[in-house]
Coordinates of all heavy atoms in Angstrom, one line a residue:
R95 N 83.5 58.4 40.5 CA 84.0 59.8 40.7 C 82.8 60.7 41.2 O 83.0 61.6 42.0 CB 84.6 60.4 39.5 CG 85.8 59.7 39.0 CD 86.5 60.5 37.8 NE 85.6 60.7 36.7 CZ 85.3 61.8 36.2 NH1 85.8 63.0 36.7 NH2 84.5 61.9 35.1
F96 N 81.6 60.5 40.7 CA 80.5 61.3 41.0 C 79.5 60.5 41.9 O 79.4 59.2 41.7 CB 79.7 61.7 39.7 CG 80.4 62.7 38.8 CD1 81.8 63.0 39.0 CD2 79.8 63.3 37.8 CE1 82.4 63.9 38.2 CE2 80.4 64.2 36.9 CZ 81.7 64.5 37.2
T97 N 78.8 61.2 42.7 CA 77.8 60.6 43.6 C 76.5 61.4 43.6 O 76.6 62.6 43.9 CB 78.3 60.4 45.0 OG1 79.5 59.7 45.0 CG2 77.2 59.7 45.9
I98 N 75.4 60.8 43.2 CA 74.1 61.4 43.3 C 73.4 61.1 44.6 O 73.5 59.9 45.0 CB 73.3 61.1 42.0 CG1 72.0 62.0 42.0 CG2 72.9 59.6 42.0 CD1 71.2 61.8 40.7
S99 N 72.8 62.0 45.2 CA 72.0 61.8 46.4 C 70.8 62.8 46.4 O 70.8 63.7 45.6 CB 72.9 62.0 47.6 OG 73.4 63.3 47.7
R100 N 69.9 62.6 47.4 CA 68.8 63.5 47.5 C 68.4 63.6 48.9 O 68.6 62.6 49.7 CB 67.6 63.0 46.6 CG 67.0 61.7 47.0 CD 66.0 61.2 46.0 NE 64.9 62.1 45.8 CZ 64.1 62.1 44.7 NH1 64.3 61.3 43.7 NH2 63.1 62.9 44.6
D101 N 67.7 64.7 49.2 CA 67.2 64.9 50.5 C 65.7 65.4 50.3 O 65.5 66.5 49.9 CB 68.0 66.0 51.3 CG 67.5 66.2 52.7 OD1 66.3 65.8 53.0 OD2 68.2 66.8 53.5
N102 N 64.8 64.5 50.5 CA 63.4 64.8 50.2 C 62.8 65.8 51.2 O 61.8 66.4 50.9 CB 62.6 63.5 50.1 CG 62.8 62.7 48.9 OD1 63.4 63.2 47.9 ND2 62.4 61.4 48.9
T103 N 63.4 65.9 52.3 CA 62.9 66.9 53.3 C 63.3 68.3 52.8 O 62.7 69.3 53.3 CB 63.5 66.7 54.7 OG1 64.9 66.9 54.7 CG2 63.2 65.3 55.1
K104 N 64.3 68.4 52.0 CA 64.7 69.8 51.4 C 64.4 69.9 50.0 O 64.8 70.9 49.4 CB 66.2 69.9 51.7 CG 66.6 69.9 53.1 CD 68.1 70.1 53.3 CE 68.5 70.2 54.7 NZ 70.0 70.4 54.9
N105 N 63.7 68.9 49.4 CA 63.3 69.0 48.0 C 64.6 69.2 47.1 O 64.5 70.0 46.1 CB 62.3 70.1 47.7 CG 60.9 69.7 48.2 OD1 60.7 68.7 48.7 ND2 60.0 70.6 48.0
T106 N 65.7 68.6 47.4 CA 66.9 68.9 46.8 C 67.6 67.6 46.4 O 67.6 66.6 47.1 CB 67.8 69.7 47.7 OG1 67.2 70.9 48.0 CG2 69.2 70.0 47.0
V107 N 68.2 67.6 45.2 CA 69.1 66.5 44.7 C 70.5 67.1 44.5 O 70.6 68.2 44.1 CB 68.5 65.8 43.4 CG1 68.5 66.9 42.3 CG2 69.3 64.6 43.0
Y108 N 71.5 66.2 44.8 CA 72.8 66.7 44.8 C 73.6 65.8 43.8 O 73.3 64.7 43.5 CB 73.5 66.6 46.2 CG 72.7 67.3 47.3 CD1 71.9 66.6 48.1 CD2 72.9 68.7 47.5 CE1 71.2 67.3 49.1 CE2 72.3 69.3 48.5 CZ 71.4 68.6 49.3 OH 70.7 69.3 50.3
L109 N 74.7 66.4 43.3 CA 75.7 65.7 42.5 C 77.1 66.1 43.0 O 77.5 67.2 42.8 CB 75.6 66.0 41.0 CG 76.5 65.2 40.1 CD1 76.0 63.7 40.1 CD2 76.5 65.7 38.7
R110 N 77.7 65.2 43.8 CA 79.0 65.4 44.3 C 80.0 64.9 43.2 O 79.9 63.8 42.8 CB 79.3 64.6 45.5 CG 80.7 64.7 46.1 CD 81.0 66.1 46.6 NE 82.3 66.2 47.1 CZ 82.8 67.3 47.6 NH1 82.1 68.4 47.7 NH2 84.1 67.3 48.1
M111 N 80.9 65.8 42.8 CA 81.8 65.5 41.7 C 83.2 65.6 42.2 O 83.7 66.7 42.6 CB 81.6 66.4 40.5 CG 80.2 66.5 40.0 SD 79.9 67.5 38.6 CE 80.3 69.1 39.3
N112 N 83.9 64.4 42.2 CA 85.3 64.4 42.7 C 86.2 64.1 41.5 O 85.8 63.6 40.4 CB 85.5 63.3 43.7 CG 84.7 63.6 45.0 OD1 84.5 64.8 45.4 ND2 84.3 62.6 45.7
S113 N 87.5 64.3 41.7 CA 88.5 64.0 40.7 C 88.1 64.5 39.3 O 88.1 63.8 38.3 CB 88.7 62.4 40.6 OG 89.1 61.9 41.8
L114 N 87.7 65.7 39.3 CA 87.2 66.3 38.0 C 88.3 66.4 37.0 O 89.5 66.6 37.3 CB 86.6 67.7 38.3 CG 85.2 67.7 39.0 CD1 84.9 69.0 39.6 CD2 84.2 67.4 37.9
K115 N 87.8 66.2 35.7 CA 88.7 66.3 34.6 C 88.3 67.4 33.6 O 87.1 67.8 33.6 CB 88.6 64.9 33.8 CG 88.9 63.7 34.7 CD 88.7 62.4 33.9 CE 88.9 61.2 34.8 NZ 88.7 59.9 34.0
P116 N 89.2 67.9 32.8 CA 88.8 68.9 31.8 C 87.6 68.5 31.0 O 86.7 69.3 30.6 CB 90.0 69.1 31.0 CG 91.1 68.8 31.9 CD 90.6 67.7 32.8
E117 N 87.5 67.2 30.7 CA 86.4 66.7 29.8 C 85.0 66.7 30.6 O 84.0 66.4 30.0 CB 86.7 65.3 29.3 CG 87.1 64.3 30.3 CD 88.6 64.1 30.4 OE1 89.3 65.2 30.4 OE2 89.1 63.0 30.5
D118 N 85.1 67.0 31.9 CA 83.8 67.1 32.6 C 83.2 68.6 32.4 O 82.1 68.8 32.9 CB 84.0 66.9 34.1 CG 84.4 65.5 34.4 OD1 83.8 64.5 33.8 OD2 85.3 65.3 35.2
T119 N 83.9 69.4 31.8 CA 83.5 70.8 31.5 C 82.2 70.7 30.7 O 82.1 70.1 29.6 CB 84.5 71.6 30.8 OG1 85.6 71.8 31.6 CG2 83.9 73.0 30.4
A120 N 81.1 71.4 31.2 CA 79.8 71.3 30.6 C 78.8 72.2 31.4 O 79.1 72.6 32.5 CB 79.3 69.9 30.5
V121 N 77.7 72.4 30.8 CA 76.5 72.9 31.5 C 75.8 71.7 32.1 O 75.5 70.7 31.3 CB 75.6 73.7 30.6 CG1 74.4 74.2 31.4 CG2 76.3 74.9 30.1
Y122 N 75.6 71.7 33.4 CA 74.9 70.5 34.0 C 73.5 70.9 34.3 O 73.2 72.0 34.9 CB 75.6 70.2 35.3 CG 76.9 69.4 35.1 CD1 78.0 70.1 34.5 CD2 77.0 68.1 35.4 CE1 79.2 69.4 34.3 CE2 78.2 67.4 35.1 CZ 79.3 68.0 34.6 OH 80.5 67.3 34.3
Y123 N 72.6 70.0 33.9 CA 71.2 70.2 34.1 C 70.6 69.1 35.0 O 71.0 67.9 34.9 CB 70.4 70.1 32.7 CG 70.9 71.1 31.7 CD1 71.9 70.8 30.8 CD2 70.2 72.3 31.6 CE1 72.3 71.7 29.9 CE2 70.6 73.3 30.7 CZ 71.7 73.0 29.8 OH 72.0 73.9 28.9
C124 N 69.7 69.5 35.9 CA 68.9 68.4 36.6 C 67.5 68.3 35.9 O 67.1 69.2 35.2 CB 68.8 68.7 38.0 SG 67.7 70.1 38.5

């Protein structure tokens, strides 16, 4: 459901979250 990726040219990491469920409710930290 989730996909992590990064773009080192932008100094950024991503977390794509699909098919979200109520139990995914949280504070997300990198």
Side-chain angles (χ1 to χ4, degrees):
R95 300 188 297 122
F96 291 11
T97 303
I98 189 172
S99 61
R100 68 189 295 162
D101 184 341
N102 288 344
T103 67
K104 297 182 179 179
N105 285 2
T106 300
V107 61
Y108 305 97
L109 185 68
R110 177 68 180 182
M111 306 184 294
N112 295 329
S113 302
L114 282 162
K115 305 174 182 179
E117 51 263 44
D118 294 318
T119 294
V121 178
Y122 283 71
Y123 300 90
C124 71

